[in-house]
Amino acid sequence: MQYSKATNYALHSMVFLALIPKEKTIGVRPLAEFQNVSPTYLSKVLTNLVKAGFIQSTPGVKGGYQLIKDTTDITLLEIIHAIEGSATLFNCRLNNNDLHDHHHCLIQEVMEEAEKKMENHLKKQTLQGIVKQVDKNKMSYLLSKSV
Amino acid sequence: MQYSKATNYALHSMVFLALIPKEKTIGVRPLAEFQNVSPTYLSKVLTNLVKAGFIQSTPGVKGGYQLIKDTTDITLLEIIHAIEGSATLFNCRLNNNDLHDHHHCLIQEVMEEAEKKMENHLKKQTLQGIVKQVDKNKMSYLLSKSV
DNA sequence: ATATTATAGATACATTAAATCTATAATTAG
DNA sequence: CTAATTATAGATTTAATGTATCTATAATAT
């Protein structure tokens, strides 16, 4: 079980977008090249981020993508959910006739508790938290490409 | 992203096995019927649990599977790892030439922290914890089939 | 010796992620 | 207004992986 490549691209793209001046836009081409992925595929991922309200897209010359939400108001969990959806990681698949709906699965209960621990942590991790660290390292984030 | 059906089967099978008398064995057939899965497929899952050292298998008449470890000494995390492996949920897939190994990914760092929260919780959840609850409910676990 | 049960290997099937292609719409520049 | 640029949508293809089946083999009990 692993997070999808799409989620990978989404998270890295968001960090990238957070690092460029807010009034500027950036095209899908450089974003894709940076991540070694085809622009057409990445654009589909980015569209999900647009629909989630994190970024804005403008077509045409000088168009591209840009953040429209404050980095302190975007959590990693939200980004992940925008791509992966928000279904629970574990779902009891016992479909026994005798199993009634109100009989909740004890295993599922525990698994959901565990997942919540992870989510609670990711809920506290804002995009700003990542970006801040990049600056702190005093490395040219874009040049080193070590996002 | 979701845990595999195999993990589902493994967890439920372990609870089932924990509920039968320790000296008795149970064949793959009833275990499979209980979970609405083919015996041949479930046996492959169970073999992984054998290799992990949780259960024992004996061929032949009156053979089958049985627990060989104490329920207080088996955690849900261990069972999950026996099926899913222990790779991290998130892996930075940026493979830029300019990216050196020692440049660790900030996103990955956070994601691993988050995953650890979940794992720490599952590490504390023993098979006994589940089984105990089943008894507490005073329901015939096997009859109600509401694992 | 026979019936029973697990295991291993090969294979097939199904689902989903990942990626590509084409056409369309929106925007800017000239 | 026209041409170039850029994002979007839809259909389609490819690849990867999870799920499942089949057959043969080995081990055990009666």
Side-chain angles (χ1 to χ4, degrees):
Chain A
M1 183 177 60
Q2 276 222 340
Y3 281 105
S4 64
K5 285 193 177 185
T7 292
N8 235 288
Y9 300 145
L11 287 168
H12 283 102
S13 298
M14 287 297 286
V15 174
F16 201 119
L17 286 165
L19 286 167
I20 64 173
K22 224 173 180 183
E23 68 280 6
K24 296 200 112 181
T25 68
I26 184 170
V28 72
R29 209 92 41 107
L31 281 172
E33 188 190 348
F34 179 71
Q35 303 185 57
N36 273 333
V37 60
S38 78
T40 48
Y41 182 61
L42 184 59
S43 75
K44 289 203 181 300
V45 175
L46 294 176
T47 298
N48 285 324
L49 299 177
V50 171
K51 286 176 180 163
F54 303 136
I55 63 179
Q56 193 183 41
S57 68
T58 51
V61 185
K62 293 288 171 190
Y65 298 92
Q66 59 191 321
L67 271 190
I68 54 174
K69 233 182 147 177
D70 200 84
T71 54
T72 59
D73 198 31
I74 301 175
T75 71
L76 297 198
L77 183 62
E78 289 171 325
I79 299 173
I80 293 168
H81 276 174
I83 306 295
E84 302 270 344
S86 49
T88 56
L89 293 187
F90 184 88
N91 280 301
C92 175
R93 285 204 175 85
L94 270 203
N95 50 346
N96 232 296
N97 314 351
D98 313 323
L99 179 59
H100 299 94
D101 300 18
H102 62 281
H103 285 165
H104 65 289
C105 175
L106 295 174
I107 297 172
Q108 170 128 20
E109 197 176 321
V110 174
M111 293 300 288
E112 287 185 5
E113 276 172 22
E115 186 181 354
K116 279 234 159 59
K117 303 281 183 183
M118 180 166 70
E119 291 197 335
N120 283 337
H121 191 253
L122 290 175
K123 228 178 257 178
K124 290 181 245 160
Q125 306 298 318
T126 66
L127 187 53
Q128 176 60 22
I130 301 280
V131 172
K132 189 179 56 186
Q133 269 196 286
V134 174
D135 289 343
K136 194 171 65 187
N137 290 347
K138 281 181 191 147
M139 293 180 63
S140 168
Y141 185 94
L142 300 182
L143 287 180
S144 75
K145 297 186 177 174
S146 61
V147 183
Chain B
M1 182 177 61
Q2 277 223 340
Y3 281 105
S4 64
K5 286 193 178 184
T7 292
N8 234 288
Y9 300 144
L11 288 168
H12 283 102
S13 297
M14 286 297 286
V15 174
F16 201 120
L17 286 166
L19 286 166
I20 63 172
K22 221 167 184 189
E23 69 279 6
K24 296 201 113 180
T25 68
I26 184 171
V28 72
R29 209 96 36 113
L31 282 172
E33 188 190 349
F34 180 71
Q35 303 184 57
N36 274 332
V37 61
S38 78
T40 48
Y41 182 61
L42 184 59
S43 76
K44 287 203 181 301
V45 175
L46 294 176
T47 299
N48 285 324
L49 299 177
V50 171
K51 287 174 180 164
F54 303 135
I55 63 179
Q56 191 183 42
S57 69
T58 51
V61 185
K62 291 290 169 190
Y65 299 92
Q66 59 191 323
L67 270 190
I68 54 172
K69 232 180 147 180
D70 200 84
T71 54
T72 60
D73 198 31
I74 301 175
T75 71
L76 297 199
L77 183 62
E78 289 171 325
I79 299 173
I80 294 168
H81 275 174
I83 307 297
E84 302 270 344
S86 50
T88 56
L89 294 187
F90 183 88
N91 281 301
C92 176
R93 287 206 175 84
L94 270 203
N95 50 345
N96 232 296
N97 314 352
D98 313 324
L99 179 59
H100 298 95
D101 300 19
H102 62 281
H103 285 166
H104 65 289
C105 175
L106 295 173
I107 297 172
Q108 171 128 18
E109 196 176 321
V110 173
M111 293 299 290
E112 286 185 5
E113 275 171 23
E115 187 180 353
K116 278 237 160 58
K117 302 282 183 182
M118 179 167 71
E119 291 196 336
N120 282 337
H121 190 253
L122 290 175
K123 231 178 257 182
K124 290 181 245 160
Q125 307 298 319
T126 66
L127 188 53
Q128 176 61 21
I130 301 282
V131 173
K132 188 178 58 186
Q133 268 195 289
V134 174
D135 289 344
K136 195 171 64 187
N137 289 347
K138 279 178 190 150
M139 292 179 63
S140 169
Y141 184 94
L142 299 182
L143 288 178
S144 74
K145 297 186 180 177
S146 61
V147 183

